[in-house]
PDB file of all heavy atoms in Angstrom:
ATOM      1  N   PHE A 163      -1.746 -11.365  -3.372  1.00 98.00           N
ATOM      2  CA  PHE A 163      -1.108 -11.978  -2.030  1.00 98.00           C
ATOM      3  C   PHE A 163      -0.560 -13.357  -2.265  1.00 98.00           C
ATOM      4  O   PHE A 163       0.521 -13.625  -1.819  1.00 98.00           O
ATOM      5  CB  PHE A 163      -2.393 -12.006  -1.073  1.00 98.00           C
ATOM      6  CG  PHE A 163      -2.084 -12.490   0.304  1.00 98.00           C
ATOM      7  CD1 PHE A 163      -1.718 -11.525   1.331  1.00 98.00           C
ATOM      8  CD2 PHE A 163      -2.098 -13.813   0.755  1.00 98.00           C
ATOM      9  CE1 PHE A 163      -1.358 -11.880   2.553  1.00 98.00           C
ATOM     10  CE2 PHE A 163      -1.728 -14.132   1.996  1.00 98.00           C
ATOM     11  CZ  PHE A 163      -1.328 -13.239   2.989  1.00 98.00           C
ATOM     12  N   ASN A 164      -1.269 -14.182  -2.923  1.00 98.00           N
ATOM     13  CA  ASN A 164      -0.801 -15.579  -3.157  1.00 98.00           C
ATOM     14  C   ASN A 164       0.510 -15.644  -3.953  1.00 98.00           C
ATOM     15  O   ASN A 164       1.433 -16.428  -3.759  1.00 98.00           O
ATOM     16  CB  ASN A 164      -1.803 -16.437  -3.886  1.00 98.00           C
ATOM     17  CG  ASN A 164      -2.827 -16.947  -2.807  1.00 98.00           C
ATOM     18  OD1 ASN A 164      -2.458 -17.149  -1.733  1.00 98.00           O
ATOM     19  ND2 ASN A 164      -4.132 -17.105  -3.161  1.00 98.00           N
ATOM     20  N   LYS A 165       0.614 -14.646  -4.868  1.00 98.00           N
ATOM     21  CA  LYS A 165       1.927 -14.565  -5.565  1.00 98.00           C
ATOM     22  C   LYS A 165       3.074 -14.003  -4.750  1.00 98.00           C
ATOM     23  O   LYS A 165       4.085 -14.453  -4.793  1.00 98.00           O
ATOM     24  CB  LYS A 165       1.707 -13.656  -6.889  1.00 98.00           C
ATOM     25  CG  LYS A 165       0.979 -14.540  -7.886  1.00 98.00           C
ATOM     26  CD  LYS A 165       0.659 -13.749  -9.179  1.00 98.00           C
ATOM     27  CE  LYS A 165       0.075 -14.649 -10.225  1.00 98.00           C
ATOM     28  NZ  LYS A 165      -0.901 -14.077 -11.013  1.00 98.00           N
ATOM     29  N   CYS A 166       2.730 -13.033  -3.881  1.00 98.00           N
ATOM     30  CA  CYS A 166       3.617 -12.406  -3.080  1.00 98.00           C
ATOM     31  C   CYS A 166       4.197 -13.255  -2.164  1.00 98.00           C
ATOM     32  O   CYS A 166       5.443 -13.082  -1.725  1.00 98.00           O
ATOM     33  CB  CYS A 166       2.969 -11.099  -2.376  1.00 98.00           C
ATOM     34  SG  CYS A 166       2.967  -9.779  -3.553  1.00 98.00           S
ATOM     35  N   ILE A 167       3.409 -14.041  -1.457  1.00 97.00           N
ATOM     36  CA  ILE A 167       3.872 -14.905  -0.256  1.00 97.00           C
ATOM     37  C   ILE A 167       4.962 -15.749  -0.771  1.00 97.00           C
ATOM     38  O   ILE A 167       5.782 -16.368   0.105  1.00 97.00           O
ATOM     39  CB  ILE A 167       2.748 -15.507   0.425  1.00 97.00           C
ATOM     40  CG1 ILE A 167       1.937 -16.505  -0.429  1.00 97.00           C
ATOM     41  CG2 ILE A 167       1.971 -14.560   1.274  1.00 97.00           C
ATOM     42  CD1 ILE A 167       0.829 -17.155   0.391  1.00 97.00           C
ATOM     43  N   LYS A 168       5.065 -16.125  -2.113  1.00 97.00           N
ATOM     44  CA  LYS A 168       6.193 -16.896  -2.510  1.00 97.00           C
ATOM     45  C   LYS A 168       7.564 -16.226  -2.300  1.00 97.00           C
ATOM     46  O   LYS A 168       8.534 -16.932  -2.181  1.00 97.00           O
ATOM     47  CB  LYS A 168       6.008 -17.370  -3.957  1.00 97.00           C
ATOM     48  CG  LYS A 168       4.816 -18.046  -4.204  1.00 97.00           C
ATOM     49  CD  LYS A 168       4.858 -18.757  -5.551  1.00 97.00           C
ATOM     50  CE  LYS A 168       3.652 -19.625  -5.845  1.00 97.00           C
ATOM     51  NZ  LYS A 168       2.383 -19.007  -6.234  1.00 97.00           N
ATOM     52  N   TYR A 169       7.469 -15.032  -2.182  1.00 98.00           N
ATOM     53  CA  TYR A 169       8.762 -14.203  -2.069  1.00 98.00           C
ATOM     54  C   TYR A 169       8.863 -13.597  -0.617  1.00 98.00           C
ATOM     55  O   TYR A 169       9.778 -12.979  -0.403  1.00 98.00           O
ATOM     56  CB  TYR A 169       8.698 -12.925  -2.974  1.00 98.00           C
ATOM     57  CG  TYR A 169       8.460 -13.302  -4.473  1.00 98.00           C
ATOM     58  CD1 TYR A 169       7.239 -13.043  -5.075  1.00 98.00           C
ATOM     59  CD2 TYR A 169       9.423 -13.867  -5.247  1.00 98.00           C
ATOM     60  CE1 TYR A 169       6.977 -13.365  -6.362  1.00 98.00           C
ATOM     61  CE2 TYR A 169       9.274 -14.229  -6.530  1.00 98.00           C
ATOM     62  CZ  TYR A 169       8.093 -14.098  -7.100  1.00 98.00           C
ATOM     63  OH  TYR A 169       7.892 -14.222  -8.486  1.00 98.00           O
ATOM     64  N   LEU A 170       7.985 -13.859   0.248  1.00 98.00           N
ATOM     65  CA  LEU A 170       7.966 -13.320   1.646  1.00 98.00           C
ATOM     66  C   LEU A 170       8.786 -14.208   2.612  1.00 98.00           C
ATOM     67  O   LEU A 170       8.584 -15.442   2.726  1.00 98.00           O
ATOM     68  CB  LEU A 170       6.457 -13.222   2.076  1.00 98.00           C
ATOM     69  CG  LEU A 170       6.371 -12.399   3.438  1.00 98.00           C
ATOM     70  CD1 LEU A 170       6.758 -10.966   3.379  1.00 98.00           C
ATOM     71  CD2 LEU A 170       4.939 -12.597   3.970  1.00 98.00           C
ATOM     72  N   GLU A 171       9.734 -13.465   3.201  1.00 98.00           N
ATOM     73  CA  GLU A 171      10.504 -14.188   4.216  1.00 98.00           C
ATOM     74  C   GLU A 171       9.709 -14.533   5.336  1.00 98.00           C
ATOM     75  O   GLU A 171       8.767 -13.827   5.777  1.00 98.00           O
ATOM     76  CB  GLU A 171      11.645 -13.234   4.737  1.00 98.00           C
ATOM     77  CG  GLU A 171      12.545 -12.612   3.676  1.00 98.00           C
ATOM     78  CD  GLU A 171      13.955 -13.312   3.566  1.00 98.00           C
ATOM     79  OE1 GLU A 171      13.924 -14.562   3.989  1.00 98.00           O
ATOM     80  OE2 GLU A 171      14.751 -12.765   3.050  1.00 98.00           O
ATOM     81  N   PRO A 172      10.065 -15.835   6.007  1.00 98.00           N
ATOM     82  CA  PRO A 172       9.420 -16.064   7.343  1.00 98.00           C
ATOM     83  C   PRO A 172       9.659 -14.748   8.248  1.00 98.00           C
ATOM     84  O   PRO A 172      10.695 -14.191   8.191  1.00 98.00           O
ATOM     85  CB  PRO A 172      10.159 -17.312   7.874  1.00 98.00           C
ATOM     86  CG  PRO A 172      10.712 -17.813   6.622  1.00 98.00           C
ATOM     87  CD  PRO A 172      11.005 -16.682   5.684  1.00 98.00           C
ATOM     88  N   GLY A 173       8.683 -14.408   9.151  1.00 98.00           N
ATOM     89  CA  GLY A 173       8.813 -13.140   9.856  1.00 98.00           C
ATOM     90  C   GLY A 173       8.492 -11.926   9.074  1.00 98.00           C
ATOM     91  O   GLY A 173       8.531 -10.785   9.724  1.00 98.00           O
ATOM     92  N   GLY A 174       8.124 -12.052   7.763  1.00 98.00           N
ATOM     93  CA  GLY A 174       7.888 -10.968   7.062  1.00 98.00           C
ATOM     94  C   GLY A 174       6.437 -10.485   7.146  1.00 98.00           C
ATOM     95  O   GLY A 174       5.686 -11.152   7.783  1.00 98.00           O
ATOM     96  N   VAL A 175       6.267  -9.286   6.637  1.00 98.00           N
ATOM     97  CA  VAL A 175       4.938  -8.652   6.786  1.00 98.00           C
ATOM     98  C   VAL A 175       4.412  -8.093   5.458  1.00 98.00           C
ATOM     99  O   VAL A 175       5.010  -7.739   4.524  1.00 98.00           O
ATOM    100  CB  VAL A 175       5.153  -7.287   7.726  1.00 98.00           C
ATOM    101  CG1 VAL A 175       3.930  -6.335   7.703  1.00 98.00           C
ATOM    102  CG2 VAL A 175       5.455  -7.773   9.172  1.00 98.00           C
ATOM    103  N   ILE A 176       2.984  -8.276   5.323  1.00 98.00           N
ATOM    104  CA  ILE A 176       2.289  -7.798   4.169  1.00 98.00           C
ATOM    105  C   ILE A 176       1.282  -6.629   4.617  1.00 98.00           C
ATOM    106  O   ILE A 176       0.362  -7.084   5.520  1.00 98.00           O
ATOM    107  CB  ILE A 176       1.576  -8.851   3.263  1.00 98.00           C
ATOM    108  CG1 ILE A 176       2.553  -9.903   2.777  1.00 98.00           C
ATOM    109  CG2 ILE A 176       0.785  -8.138   2.065  1.00 98.00           C
ATOM    110  CD1 ILE A 176       2.013 -10.850   1.854  1.00 98.00           C
ATOM    111  N   VAL A 177       1.405  -5.529   4.143  1.00 98.00           N
ATOM    112  CA  VAL A 177       0.358  -4.517   4.523  1.00 98.00           C
ATOM    113  C   VAL A 177      -0.482  -4.309   3.296  1.00 98.00           C
ATOM    114  O   VAL A 177      -0.001  -4.096   2.212  1.00 98.00           O
ATOM    115  CB  VAL A 177       1.088  -3.133   4.900  1.00 98.00           C
ATOM    116  CG1 VAL A 177       0.084  -2.165   5.081  1.00 98.00           C
ATOM    117  CG2 VAL A 177       1.947  -3.442   6.242  1.00 98.00           C
ATOM    118  N   SER A 178      -1.744  -4.427   3.450  1.00 98.00           N
ATOM    119  CA  SER A 178      -2.672  -4.181   2.282  1.00 98.00           C
ATOM    120  C   SER A 178      -3.559  -2.983   2.499  1.00 98.00           C
ATOM    121  O   SER A 178      -4.248  -2.944   3.632  1.00 98.00           O
ATOM    122  CB  SER A 178      -3.614  -5.477   2.076  1.00 98.00           C
ATOM    123  OG  SER A 178      -2.836  -6.647   2.117  1.00 98.00           O
ATOM    124  N   ASP A 179      -3.622  -2.069   1.584  1.00 98.00           N
ATOM    125  CA  ASP A 179      -4.360  -0.790   1.749  1.00 98.00           C
ATOM    126  C   ASP A 179      -5.821  -0.886   1.165  1.00 98.00           C
ATOM    127  O   ASP A 179      -5.935  -1.728   0.321  1.00 98.00           O
ATOM    128  CB  ASP A 179      -3.601   0.436   1.215  1.00 98.00           C
ATOM    129  CG  ASP A 179      -4.060   1.688   1.919  1.00 98.00           C
ATOM    130  OD1 ASP A 179      -4.827   1.684   2.835  1.00 98.00           O
ATOM    131  OD2 ASP A 179      -3.541   2.749   1.355  1.00 98.00           O
ATOM    132  N   ASN A 180      -6.721  -0.167   1.654  1.00 98.00           N
ATOM    133  CA  ASN A 180      -8.027   0.113   1.061  1.00 98.00           C
ATOM    134  C   ASN A 180      -8.806  -1.088   1.228  1.00 98.00           C
ATOM    135  O   ASN A 180      -9.818  -1.326   0.481  1.00 98.00           O
ATOM    136  CB  ASN A 180      -7.962   0.535  -0.311  1.00 98.00           C
ATOM    137  CG  ASN A 180      -7.038   1.753  -0.648  1.00 98.00           C
ATOM    138  OD1 ASN A 180      -5.985   1.642  -1.188  1.00 98.00           O
ATOM    139  ND2 ASN A 180      -7.568   2.844  -0.132  1.00 98.00           N
ATOM    140  N   VAL A 181      -8.684  -1.990   2.282  1.00 98.00           N
ATOM    141  CA  VAL A 181      -9.422  -3.227   2.383  1.00 98.00           C
ATOM    142  C   VAL A 181     -10.707  -3.012   2.861  1.00 98.00           C
ATOM    143  O   VAL A 181     -11.573  -3.988   2.698  1.00 98.00           O
ATOM    144  CB  VAL A 181      -8.667  -4.265   3.263  1.00 98.00           C
ATOM    145  CG1 VAL A 181      -7.335  -4.599   2.668  1.00 98.00           C
ATOM    146  CG2 VAL A 181      -8.385  -3.751   4.716  1.00 98.00           C
ATOM    147  N   LEU A 182     -11.127  -1.921   3.432  1.00 98.00           N
ATOM    148  CA  LEU A 182     -12.609  -1.694   3.835  1.00 98.00           C
ATOM    149  C   LEU A 182     -13.331  -0.873   2.788  1.00 98.00           C
ATOM    150  O   LEU A 182     -14.563  -0.718   2.803  1.00 98.00           O
ATOM    151  CB  LEU A 182     -12.676  -1.140   5.132  1.00 98.00           C
ATOM    152  CG  LEU A 182     -12.065  -1.837   6.315  1.00 98.00           C
ATOM    153  CD1 LEU A 182     -12.200  -1.197   7.725  1.00 98.00           C
ATOM    154  CD2 LEU A 182     -13.056  -3.155   6.418  1.00 98.00           C
ATOM    155  N   TYR A 183     -12.703  -0.491   1.821  1.00 97.00           N
ATOM    156  CA  TYR A 183     -13.197   0.359   0.599  1.00 97.00           C
ATOM    157  C   TYR A 183     -14.526   1.100   0.988  1.00 97.00           C
ATOM    158  O   TYR A 183     -15.590   0.678   0.632  1.00 97.00           O
ATOM    159  CB  TYR A 183     -13.460  -0.815  -0.393  1.00 97.00           C
ATOM    160  CG  TYR A 183     -13.593  -0.164  -1.886  1.00 97.00           C
ATOM    161  CD1 TYR A 183     -13.152   1.136  -2.166  1.00 97.00           C
ATOM    162  CD2 TYR A 183     -14.298  -0.810  -2.905  1.00 97.00           C
ATOM    163  CE1 TYR A 183     -13.245   1.634  -3.410  1.00 97.00           C
ATOM    164  CE2 TYR A 183     -14.356  -0.224  -4.124  1.00 97.00           C
ATOM    165  CZ  TYR A 183     -13.929   1.000  -4.366  1.00 97.00           C
ATOM    166  OH  TYR A 183     -14.035   1.543  -5.612  1.00 97.00           O
ATOM    167  N   LYS A 184     -14.189   2.261   1.439  1.00 96.00           N
ATOM    168  CA  LYS A 184     -15.188   3.223   1.814  1.00 96.00           C
ATOM    169  C   LYS A 184     -16.364   2.595   2.683  1.00 96.00           C
ATOM    170  O   LYS A 184     -17.431   3.022   2.637  1.00 96.00           O
ATOM    171  CB  LYS A 184     -15.817   3.886   0.619  1.00 96.00           C
ATOM    172  CG  LYS A 184     -14.793   4.578  -0.368  1.00 96.00           C
ATOM    173  CD  LYS A 184     -15.499   5.050  -1.558  1.00 96.00           C
ATOM    174  CE  LYS A 184     -14.516   5.380  -2.661  1.00 96.00           C
ATOM    175  NZ  LYS A 184     -13.630   6.461  -2.468  1.00 96.00           N
ATOM    176  N   GLY A 185     -15.962   1.545   3.481  1.00 96.00           N
ATOM    177  CA  GLY A 185     -16.977   0.993   4.331  1.00 96.00           C
ATOM    178  C   GLY A 185     -17.754  -0.018   3.706  1.00 96.00           C
ATOM    179  O   GLY A 185     -18.436  -0.815   4.416  1.00 96.00           O
TER     180      GLY A 185
END
Side-chain angles (χ1 to χ4, degrees):
F163 185 91
N164 280 328
K165 286 180 171 139
C166 281
I167 57 178
K168 299 199 173 80
Y169 305 106
L170 184 66
E171 303 263 22
V175 165
I176 301 186
V177 176
S178 313
D179 199 12
N180 307 108
V181 296
L182 294 176
Y183 198 18
K184 302 179 198 295

